[in-house]
Amino acid sequence: MPTHAPIQILLVEDNEPDVILTQEAFLDANLPTAMQVARDGVEAMQILRREGEFAASPRPDVILLDINMPRKNGLEVLAELKDDPALRTIPVVVLTTSQAEEDILRSYQNHASSYIVKPVEFDQFYSAIQALGQYMLGTVRLPPR
């Protein structure tokens, strides 16, 4: 694999075990990433807009976005993000437990790059995150920051 600068990832996830597992999967895969975590959609938009305490937050290269969250759900974040000319080029991977066809359709209508249903089994989830990381580093060409 070629040498890369660390990929800046914004993980938008309110479930602490999923946050920890995602972070560990990227670390164990030896993928050069820097991950910032938003615990809900409101915090995600504050980070993306570099508001208040998040003024120094780096612009993410990719966003991993859960749908089911408090305050502002992932579909609302996705629509707001893709409506903002300063943010719309950031690729968004929806990473959620929802298998609802309406959620899948709405995600793609709002220009999600991918929609991944989180596997329930630990090993499968772990493998899926590692495969996603390898894909982002080895296959995909991300837009410039």
Side-chain angles (χ1 to χ4, degrees), residues 39-115:
R39 304 296 175 176
D40 61 50
V42 171
E43 187 175 45
M45 293 311 299
Q46 290 171 333
I47 290 169
L48 289 164
R49 292 194 172 121
R50 299 177 179 156
E51 296 172 348
E53 66 183 285
F54 304 109
S57 292
R59 178 183 171 92
D61 295 307
V62 66
I63 299 168
L64 303 180
L65 180 65
D66 188 21
I67 288 180
N68 302 311
M69 294 181 298
R71 299 205 296 166
K72 183 180 285 197
N73 73 40
L75 294 173
E76 293 168 321
V77 170
L78 183 59
E80 191 174 335
L81 166 61
K82 294 303 180 175
D83 196 42
D84 185 329
L87 302 173
R88 72 170 50 126
T89 59
I90 301 171
V92 178
V93 175
V94 176
L95 185 62
T96 184
T97 56
S98 174
Q99 296 185 45
E101 286 187 23
E102 180 181 337
D103 288 343
I104 296 168
L105 181 61
R106 285 184 60 204
S107 294
Y108 283 118
Q109 286 173 335
N110 283 306
H111 309 286
S113 301
S114 300
Y115 191 101

